[in-house]
Amino acid sequence: MLFLISFFQLVLLVQSLEPFVYDVNFAGAIGDGESDDTEAFKNAWYVVCSSYISSGIFRVPHGQKFLLQPLTFNGNYYYYFHIFFNFMILFTKFRVIQIDGILIAPSDPSSWKCKDTNCNNWITFQHFDGLIIQGTGSLHGQGQKWWKMGCIQNKVGFAILDSKNVHISGLTSVNSRKWHISIERSSFVHASKLNIKAPKDSPSTDGIRIEHSTNVTLASSIIKTGDDCIEIGDGSKYININRIFCGLGHGISIGSLGKNGRKETVEYVTIRRANFYTTKNGVRIKTWQGGHGYARHIRFERLSFNRVTRPIIIDQYSCPTHQRITAVEISNILYNDLKGTTNSEIAVEILCSESVPCKNIRMKDI
Ligand SMILES: *[C@@H]1O[C@H](CO)[C@@H](O)[C@H](O)[C@H]1NC(C)=O
């Protein structure tokens, strides 16, 4: 009994504590845009995530530029503390990363140093359950020299991996080496008010990619890049996309799925109220011949197009030289209230396979 009373007193005490703010400068970050601040960020993160009593805020202050090598924020750290102090778990669920300053990646491929895991990504968030990434700051991927190197594999600016309950909002991402933001093997991710920019001719600078993830929402964001604004890949389920401005590059893409005979699936995707401006494609579903799996229960609603080359595409014929009998099934696709202008003669292109034809494609108010 005595123990219980003191336990509840402790609970009250903990609830009354303010979250503490830990600035990266406290851990020795210089923020002049030239000194390498990677170690300071790691140390600051260690302090924040090992604070088990009140939730800490990791802050990158406004008005400074921090040069960072590849860096992983690991959500696991603080679970170790929870094992010790597991009765505190209620108070520490969400970690906050407040980015108001500018983060810059090394501009020269030869100065890219990585001792960590996830070396292909610039900044990785992994193994979180409860993370808020927010602020008015920006991420400068400095991809210009990489773009000239031709084929570069799987390079990501900001990666959210193996996590759930992640909210990301407000940030700007500029000139990533390749994909700007990648969400992989995660669930309950909510991204909004993002601003993503790269030149029209920059290769593979996709805005946001989603793979092997469920219950992901992307809302109210502006994406103008050289490649897809959003790419929804294998294993995506319950994806909601709302109020996106998509400019310059290739539009919003589901797939491609089923390359090299793989079984890949996407279902329950809703794309609503998106505006497309001078993109090559609008909304595209693309699958490979010889693949397996499906793309189904997909809704496109209230979209507008301004001088888009091909606003609506379904293409089950990637790789047309090899006639194969299998295909990724495409079914239950709804296009409702799509309007606008194109700059080509063919606005709608539906190329369905003969062996596994598309099923239940509905169009209304086009
Ligand atoms: C994910 O979202 C769908 C659709 O909104 C919902 O039916 C489902 O229950 C959600 N998943 C979980 C695990 O809550």
Side-chain angles (χ1 to χ4, degrees):
M1 194 58 201
L2 205 63
F3 168 75
L4 279 179
I5 288 164
S6 59
F7 174 75
F8 284 119
Q9 282 169 338
L10 192 60
V11 167
L12 288 177
L13 171 75
V14 168
Q15 280 178 329
S16 66
L17 289 175
E18 287 288 298
F20 81 99
V21 175
Y22 198 79
D23 235 271
V24 290
N25 296 115
F26 301 161
I30 313 274
D32 61 2
E34 284 167 22
S35 318
D36 182 346
D37 285 324
T38 317
E39 280 306 309
F41 270 60
K42 284 184 187 165
N43 295 337
W45 176 241
Y46 188 76
V47 171
V48 170
C49 67
S50 57
S51 69
Y52 52 90
I53 290 193
S54 69
S55 51
I57 298 178
F58 176 102
R59 186 169 66 187
V60 179
H62 174 75
Q64 285 178 283
K65 279 188 188 171
F66 300 89
L67 176 65
L68 298 177
Q69 292 287 347
L71 176 62
T72 295
F73 288 83
N74 198 329
N76 265 346
Y77 278 156
Y78 67 89
Y79 296 123
Y80 299 143
F81 289 90
H82 283 166
I83 293 167
F84 280 128
F85 303 99
N86 58 17
F87 58 90
M88 296 292 187
I89 199 156
L90 289 174
F91 312 106
T92 49
K93 186 163 162 79
F94 273 89
R95 285 291 184 253
V96 178
I97 297 193
Q98 177 80 30
I99 303 176
D100 294 323
I102 297 174
L103 308 184
I104 55 177
S107 64
D108 205 316
S110 65
S111 57
W112 187 267
K113 289 184 238 140
C114 181
K115 292 172 252 159
D116 219 327
T117 49
N118 303 314
C119 285
N120 275 337
N121 308 339
W122 178 32
I123 298 176
T124 305
F125 298 88
Q126 195 167 22
H127 303 303
F128 279 90
D129 181 357
L131 173 67
I132 297 170
I133 308 169
Q134 62 186 16
T136 54
S138 53
L139 317 163
H140 291 239
Q142 310 225 78
Q144 290 88 336
K145 286 192 183 153
W146 299 81
W147 300 336
K148 295 192 190 115
M149 292 170 64
C151 182
I152 54 172
Q153 293 294 323
N154 305 347
K155 302 279 191 270
V156 181
F158 225 60
I160 295 166
L161 312 179
D162 308 296
S163 294
K164 55 187 177 178
N165 298 309
V166 178
H167 289 239
I168 167 166
S169 70
L171 300 173
T172 298
S173 174
V174 187
N175 295 343
S176 184
R177 292 176 303 157
K178 204 169 166 187
W179 311 323
H180 283 256
I181 296 177
S182 186
I183 298 167
E184 300 171 35
R185 302 181 300 274
S186 294
S187 59
F188 302 98
V189 178
H190 189 279
S192 65
K193 304 194 183 89
L194 302 177
N195 191 351
I196 300 178
K197 297 184 269 198
K200 189 178 173 67
D201 56 2
S202 58
S204 304
T205 49
D206 295 20
I208 301 176
R209 291 176 75 254
I210 302 169
E211 260 190 17
H212 302 115
S213 295
T214 61
N215 298 67
V216 177
T217 301
L218 307 177
S220 309
S221 295
I222 298 171
I223 307 173
K224 297 185 210 166
T225 66
D227 208 300
D228 294 342
C229 289
I230 298 170
E231 188 189 314
I232 300 169
D234 180 34
S236 303
K237 189 170 173 177
Y238 302 124
I239 309 297
N240 260 303
I241 295 178
N242 212 337
R243 292 178 196 271
I244 300 291
F245 180 94
C246 171
L248 308 182
H250 297 177
I252 295 180
S253 197
I254 294 179
S256 49
L257 301 175
K259 195 173 179 180
N260 300 330
R262 283 197 291 264
K263 178 181 182 206
E264 298 191 318
T265 63
V266 168
E267 62 183 335
Y268 299 105
V269 175
T270 302
I271 297 168
R272 198 171 276 145
R273 295 176 193 240
N275 292 319
F276 296 81
Y277 180 75
T278 67
T279 50
K280 184 161 155 250
N281 312 315
V283 286
R284 174 176 63 165
I285 302 174
K286 186 177 170 192
T287 66
W288 292 76
Q289 287 188 78
H292 303 265
Y294 49 80
R296 64 192 185 196
H297 305 296
I298 298 167
R299 304 166 75 100
F300 301 100
E301 294 186 291
R302 303 185 64 182
L303 308 183
S304 80
F305 304 93
N306 192 337
R307 283 180 289 143
V308 169
T309 311
R310 231 14 138 257
I312 298 176
I313 302 179
I314 291 180
D315 182 0
Q316 269 185 314
Y317 274 98
S318 274
C319 178
T321 50
H322 301 98
Q323 269 301 338
R324 301 243 177 78
I325 45 167
T326 64
V328 177
E329 295 171 29
I330 296 181
S331 64
N332 295 314
I333 315 291
L334 171 69
Y335 298 89
N336 181 17
D337 192 6
L338 274 61
K339 300 199 162 68
T341 59
T342 74
N343 55 14
S344 74
E345 277 179 22
I346 299 172
V348 178
E349 186 173 79
I350 310 263
L351 301 171
C352 290
S353 127
E354 282 164 31
S355 50
V356 186
C358 310
K359 272 188 250 169
N360 196 11
I361 312 283
R362 286 179 296 153
M363 292 199 176
K364 220 178 122 206
D365 294 328
I366 308 291

